[in-house]
Amino acid sequence: MLAALANGVKGNKWFSLIDKVYHPHTLERAWQKVRRNRGASGVDGQSIERFSARQEIYLDELSAALKSGLYRPEAVRRVEIPKSDGKTRPLGIPTVKDRIVQGAVKRVIEPIFEQEFLSMSYGFRPGRGCKDALREVQGLLEAGYTHVVDADLQGYFDSIPHDRLMARLEERISDGRVLALIQSWLEQDIIKGMERWAPTGGTPQGAIISPLLANLYLHPLDVQMTRHGYRMVRYADDFVVLCQSEEAARTALSEVRQWVEANGLTLHPEKTHVGDCRCEGQGFEFLGYRFEAGRRWVRKKSLKALKDKIRSKTRRTRGTSLACVIDDLNPMLRGWFGYFKHARSWTFSRIDKFIRRRLRALLRKQAKRPGMGRCYADHRRWPNKYFAAAGLFTLSEAWQKASQSRC
């Protein structure tokens, strides 16, 4: 159906998109994606399960409300998500109905902007992801682009100016009702506990439409840096510029700084720097990895986040069998290895040891043998092969197999 959007071209603009948004097929596809992603309830308390029980009725109501112009989004529920550094990240949770409508709008307008987005942008785009961005960075480093501008936009999602963002949308979308929908989401009230306020800028993290809008706002930066010959790799608001000399890197940082300030954004003063990643202490972090001195390893924050997840799944007070704990751990470990399998080998052996220590402590607690402690007796009773036989996914063994296949 999205191919039919080609009939909506008028000069270099698009029109009459709202009928595509409230089309039953578009809403149904958007709902299916919302259901797969699960997620918590919004301010109305309606869960995925409750919506699913009457989905046909609710989708018909949404379609009718959008067609008649009576649809109005509800407030966004804000929660604070803990970060590895002890701070929190604000997350906005729209209602299920608002998530569906946002998904429908995204399905309709995303192809318009995908025609213009550049190949150096990887975040939240169809057919692209973190691994693609990391491969591009690794290839540039190996090609001699070792002087890196590591840039960090401070509070990007919360600071995008609404008026400038809407102006960029209006350059390609002329359907006023679709623009009004997006404007209404930008202006949705935010509720946190007993507080309620209207945002003056930004697009809420957690909203389905936000990643597309975030990419749209930074697209002119992509164009400018590419036009001037810089090799930039961007994943949403996280980006690096790779250069062949320190002078070029400093000039690139100056251009980035000027563009950022001119567009109402701010570079983080402590997290933005230029370095020669061939040297010790001058590396950079990107998408969970640390690049430094010709090597690539898992950054400390990523390791800490993994260990925190392992701790939560291996609490000694957990009253389940070892088999259940391992069944809970394995999918997470396989996914983590699939992403970080290019890290150094010692990373995986250390994590394996950490996991087995946690499991031995759990078994010791269940066996009511507190006096054994972390000693040779633990290893004799529950050796490494004991956990292997129980089906525990072993990261170091997976790394060895992956290395052999690469050879």
Side-chain angles (χ1 to χ4, degrees):
M1 187 192 77
L2 293 179
L5 289 173
N7 296 325
V9 177
K10 185 177 182 180
N12 68 337
K13 294 212 173 189
W14 297 71
F15 65 99
S16 301
L17 299 178
I18 190 65
D19 58 326
K20 310 297 191 298
V21 172
Y22 63 69
H23 192 284
H25 177 76
T26 309
L27 290 172
E28 172 66 25
R29 294 292 296 275
W31 155 239
Q32 293 302 331
K33 189 164 186 177
V34 169
R35 181 163 62 179
R36 286 195 302 271
N37 291 340
R38 308 296 300 167
S41 304
V43 294
D44 62 352
Q46 186 176 57
S47 64
I48 295 292
E49 291 74 20
R50 283 179 57 191
F51 189 96
S52 182
R54 303 182 64 193
Q55 65 183 61
E56 292 184 5
I57 295 174
Y58 288 141
L59 290 176
D60 286 344
E61 290 175 352
L62 270 181
S63 179
L66 286 164
K67 185 175 183 179
S68 64
L70 295 177
Y71 164 82
R72 297 290 184 276
E74 298 194 57
V76 172
R77 182 167 69 90
R78 172 166 286 192
V79 297
E80 299 292 333
I81 305 299
K83 295 169 63 176
S84 58
D85 58 3
K87 299 179 181 179
T88 60
R89 176 173 62 89
L91 180 68
I93 305 177
T95 64
V96 173
K97 291 181 180 180
D98 289 342
R99 298 206 293 266
I100 293 169
V101 180
Q102 287 188 18
V105 170
K106 180 175 180 288
R107 285 183 61 82
V108 170
I109 70 173
E110 186 174 56
I112 300 171
F113 298 108
E114 275 296 319
Q115 295 182 75
E116 299 183 356
F117 287 165
L118 303 184
S119 61
M120 40 73 65
S121 167
Y122 292 90
F124 307 104
R125 294 184 59 192
R128 292 169 163 264
C130 294
K131 292 182 180 180
D132 302 306
L134 289 167
R135 276 192 289 268
E136 178 69 10
V137 168
Q138 188 66 44
L140 288 169
L141 291 173
E142 292 172 356
Y145 292 80
T146 55
H147 293 268
V148 180
V149 178
D150 185 6
D152 185 275
L153 292 172
Q154 193 168 15
Y156 173 61
F157 279 85
D158 290 331
S159 59
I160 300 174
H162 288 171
D163 54 346
R164 298 183 187 184
L165 174 59
M166 291 305 301
R168 287 177 191 171
L169 282 162
E170 290 166 6
E171 290 174 2
R172 297 298 290 146
I173 297 175
S174 59
D175 189 319
R177 292 179 63 183
V178 171
L179 292 170
L181 279 177
I182 297 173
Q183 182 83 51
S184 70
W185 293 323
L186 295 177
E187 297 173 349
Q188 278 176 284
D189 280 0
I190 298 173
I191 294 178
K192 180 183 176 183
M194 300 298 293
E195 300 178 78
R196 183 180 184 127
W197 70 94
T200 57
T203 177
Q205 296 186 59
I208 289 175
I209 199 71
S210 289
L212 176 59
L213 299 180
N215 275 331
L216 170 63
Y217 197 72
L218 288 179
H219 173 64
L221 175 62
D222 300 345
V223 173
Q224 177 174 316
M225 298 303 286
T226 302
R227 185 173 61 243
H228 291 176
Y230 293 111
R231 306 301 297 270
M232 187 167 90
V233 180
R234 183 172 66 81
Y235 191 94
D237 60 328
D238 192 3
F239 63 92
V240 291
V241 185
L242 298 103
C243 305
Q244 293 180 307
S245 69
E246 181 180 354
E247 181 182 2
R250 296 200 176 279
T251 303
L253 176 57
S254 178
E255 286 205 32
V256 169
R257 193 181 304 280
Q258 290 176 21
W259 187 93
V260 165
E261 291 175 356
N263 285 272
L265 304 175
T266 305
L267 285 176
H268 197 296
E270 297 176 1
K271 296 181 180 180
T272 300
H273 68 279
V274 170
D276 182 349
C277 65
R278 295 171 299 182
C279 303
E280 294 285 350
Q282 293 193 41
F284 65 98
E285 295 181 351
F286 188 61
L287 300 180
Y289 277 95
R290 174 79 184 176
F291 295 84
E292 185 177 309
R295 300 189 301 273
R296 169 177 165 181
W297 64 87
V298 183
R299 69 174 187 166
K300 292 180 180 179
K301 285 185 179 180
S302 299
L303 284 173
K304 183 180 183 302
L306 174 66
K307 288 185 175 182
D308 288 344
K309 290 179 182 178
I310 292 170
R311 288 189 183 97
S312 70
K313 294 178 182 295
T314 57
R315 296 187 302 273
R316 284 180 291 177
T317 55
R318 184 169 177 172
T320 54
S321 67
L322 178 66
C324 289
V325 175
I326 288 175
D327 285 345
D328 199 13
L329 280 171
N330 279 349
M332 179 189 70
L333 295 176
R334 288 192 179 97
W336 194 88
F337 176 77
Y339 186 77
F340 287 108
K341 62 184 176 183
H342 296 290
R344 293 182 291 180
S345 61
W346 57 261
T347 302
F348 306 110
S349 59
R350 289 182 182 180
I351 296 172
D352 284 336
K353 291 177 182 178
F354 174 76
I355 294 170
R356 288 192 290 262
R357 283 199 305 270
R358 297 286 303 178
L359 293 178
R360 288 186 180 105
L362 185 149
L363 291 171
R364 191 167 62 245
K365 174 74 173 180
Q366 292 181 349
K368 299 181 179 179
R369 299 169 71 97
M372 293 176 70
R374 294 178 180 175
C375 62
Y376 181 65
D378 280 348
H379 289 269
R380 288 189 60 187
R381 181 173 179 129
W382 301 296
N384 293 353
K385 62 182 180 181
Y386 175 86
F387 299 107
L392 177 66
F393 180 79
T394 306
L395 294 164
S396 54
E397 288 185 7
W399 184 87
Q400 290 174 358
K401 291 179 181 177
S403 299
Q404 292 170 1
S405 65
R406 285 195 292 267
C407 295

